[in-house]
Amino acid sequence: FHTFTVDSNGERGLLDVAFDPAFATNGFVYCYHTVPGTASSAAHNRVSRLHVNAAAPDISDGTDTDLLDLNDLSSATNHNGGGLHFGLDGELYISVGENADPSNSQSKTTLLGKILRMNADGSIPTDNPFYGDASFTGVYKLIWAAGLRNPFTFAVQPGTGRIFLNDVGSSPPQAREEINDGIGGSNYGWNLAEGIVATPPAVPFGTYRNPLFAYDHSSGACAIAGGAFYDPATAVYPTAYVGRYFYADLCGGWVHVFNLASSSSIDLLGGFNEPVDVQLGPDGLIYVLGHGDGTVWRITFTP
């Protein structure tokens, strides 16, 4: 469909793709990718908008538009985040890692370590939580939530628009992989707190919010790397799974199911090779992307 020239070192590259909610009529596709550094500029991540070729809809028409250039990246090639999803409000949400610098997550003058919210044309929504705060200037008014380490993926619940943020944890023993309730104006605490804490830290801006669920690195787990709400138009799995959250761990190689009502989780399936994304398909089935062996898995149900 389209080819980008990217910096693919470490966790950089083409990290996510999102279709415009009105794609059938406007033909817009959004991408998050890493722009290589040059002699005069540093490598950085970018949000671009592509347009389908009306005469040949399997390719873009080449009129890509750069909507947002994020802050310059350091020599660290990890913690880029990179999730893209449209909310039910029609706004584009963007998850951005802190580029392995924890101080970025609590700073008002960088987009790193944040969730951003923009209009589909790249402009800033005037109802963003910090839009009217004079201490946020220019592009930083895009900040919707803060205090995240590496929100590699996130998900929007069909029907309700609720957002779950999957934030990758640090190293043991304090490491906790988090499922966070995505609410505008929230600060999820990194690097002042990790996991569910009894005493909320004093964050420099926003309202501190504990994760809904967190797990440690026992049994080979290392990074929450994908999640999807099971709310299909027509349920294929038993009704007990409807409304629950399927999520995967990169090193654990498993998919678990989180019950929102009880805040508990059950083991569903193992054997995936480095899962990095979980999605609900239009057929009512859950799909898992395996980075380790370049596979796409489909989870079916046998009575």
Side-chain angles (χ1 to χ4, degrees), residues 169-184:
S170 62
S171 301
Q174 72 272 21
R176 294 294 184 274
E177 305 303 310
E178 299 179 353
I179 297 175
N180 290 285
D181 208 0
I183 297 174

Side-chain angles (χ1 to χ4, degrees), residues 157-158 160 228-246 257-261 266 280 284 286:
Q157 186 173 31
T160 70
F229 291 94
Y230 190 68
D231 291 276
T234 301
V236 178
Y237 304 155
T239 54
Y241 289 101
V242 175
R244 298 194 180 184
Y245 190 67
F246 288 63
V257 181
F258 175 58
N259 184 336
L260 285 63
I266 61 168
L280 172 63
I286 292 289

Side-chain angles (χ1 to χ4, degrees), residues 94-117:
I94 307 154
S95 63
V96 186
E98 34 82 302
N99 192 208
D101 182 350
S103 66
N104 285 331
S105 301
Q106 298 295 335
S107 172
K108 299 179 180 180
T109 57
T110 177
L111 300 176
L112 307 182
K114 313 294 194 306
I115 302 295
L116 314 179
R117 178 176 180 261

Side-chain angles (χ1 to χ4, degrees), residues 119-211:
N119 294 319
D121 63 359
S123 59
I124 304 172
T126 57
D127 61 346
N128 270 1
F130 305 111
Y131 187 88
D133 187 333
S135 63
F136 289 82
T137 60
V139 71
Y140 302 113
K141 293 181 182 293
L142 285 170
I143 294 172
W144 185 75
L148 293 157
R149 185 172 181 266
N150 188 27
F152 182 61
T153 57
F154 65 103
V156 180
Q157 186 173 31
T160 70
R162 190 177 190 180
I163 296 174
F164 274 8
L165 310 171
N166 309 310
D167 198 20
V168 177
S170 62
S171 301
Q174 72 272 21
R176 294 294 184 274
E177 305 303 310
E178 299 179 353
I179 297 175
N180 290 285
D181 208 0
I183 297 174
S186 296
N187 189 314
Y188 299 97
W190 177 256
N191 62 339
L192 306 174
E194 186 170 11
I196 299 172
V197 297
T199 303
V203 293
F205 64 94
T207 301
Y208 175 75
R209 191 173 302 278
N210 261 328

Side-chain angles (χ1 to χ4, degrees), residues 10-296:
E11 297 172 7
R12 299 174 179 179
L14 173 61
L15 299 184
D16 211 352
V17 178
F19 290 93
D20 192 289
F23 172 78
T25 55
N26 66 23
F28 287 134
V29 180
Y30 299 76
C31 301
Y32 184 106
H33 57 105
T34 310
V35 179
T38 66
S40 58
S41 64
H44 60 279
N45 289 309
R46 172 181 289 168
V47 178
S48 296
R49 185 176 69 185
L50 312 178
H51 189 262
V52 69
N53 187 324
D58 287 339
I59 60 173
S60 73
D61 64 7
T63 58
D64 48 316
T65 302
D66 300 336
L67 296 184
L68 176 66
D69 284 295
L70 284 85
N71 301 84
D72 290 348
L73 296 171
S74 69
S75 58
T77 60
N78 57 337
H79 296 189
N80 290 276
L84 287 180
H85 289 288
F86 276 90
L88 295 193
D89 56 6
E91 307 291 5
L92 181 62
Y93 291 78
I94 307 154
S95 63
V96 186
E98 34 82 302
N99 192 208
D101 182 350
S103 66
N104 285 331
S105 301
Q106 298 295 335
S107 172
K108 299 179 180 180
T109 57
T110 177
L111 300 176
L112 307 182
K114 313 294 194 306
I115 302 295
L116 314 179
R117 178 176 180 261
M118 68 161 53
N119 294 319
D121 63 359
S123 59
I124 304 172
T126 57
D127 61 346
N128 270 1
F130 305 111
Y131 187 88
D133 187 333
S135 63
F136 289 82
T137 60
V139 71
Y140 302 113
K141 293 181 182 293
L142 285 170
I143 294 172
W144 185 75
L148 293 157
R149 185 172 181 266
N150 188 27
F152 182 61
T153 57
F154 65 103
V156 180
Q157 186 173 31
T160 70
R162 190 177 190 180
I163 296 174
F164 274 8
L165 310 171
N166 309 310
D167 198 20
V168 177
S170 62
S171 301
Q174 72 272 21
R176 294 294 184 274
E177 305 303 310
E178 299 179 353
I179 297 175
N180 290 285
D181 208 0
I183 297 174
S186 296
N187 189 314
Y188 299 97
W190 177 256
N191 62 339
L192 306 174
E194 186 170 11
I196 299 172
V197 297
T199 303
V203 293
F205 64 94
T207 301
Y208 175 75
R209 191 173 302 278
N210 261 328
L212 292 172
F213 180 76
Y215 64 92
D216 61 24
H217 286 188
S218 59
S219 303
C222 75
I224 184 168
F229 291 94
Y230 190 68
D231 291 276
T234 301
V236 178
Y237 304 155
T239 54
Y241 289 101
V242 175
R244 298 194 180 184
Y245 190 67
F246 288 63
Y247 65 98
D249 188 273
L250 178 77
C251 299
W254 45 248
V255 171
H256 287 186
V257 181
F258 175 58
N259 184 336
L260 285 63
S262 63
S263 296
S264 60
S265 181
I266 61 168
D267 187 351
L268 184 71
L269 284 170
F272 299 101
N273 194 331
E274 294 186 355
V276 290
D277 202 12
V278 179
Q279 295 287 336
L280 172 63
D283 54 5
L285 298 174
I286 292 289
Y287 288 77
V288 182
L289 179 65
H291 172 265
D293 52 7
T295 55
V296 177

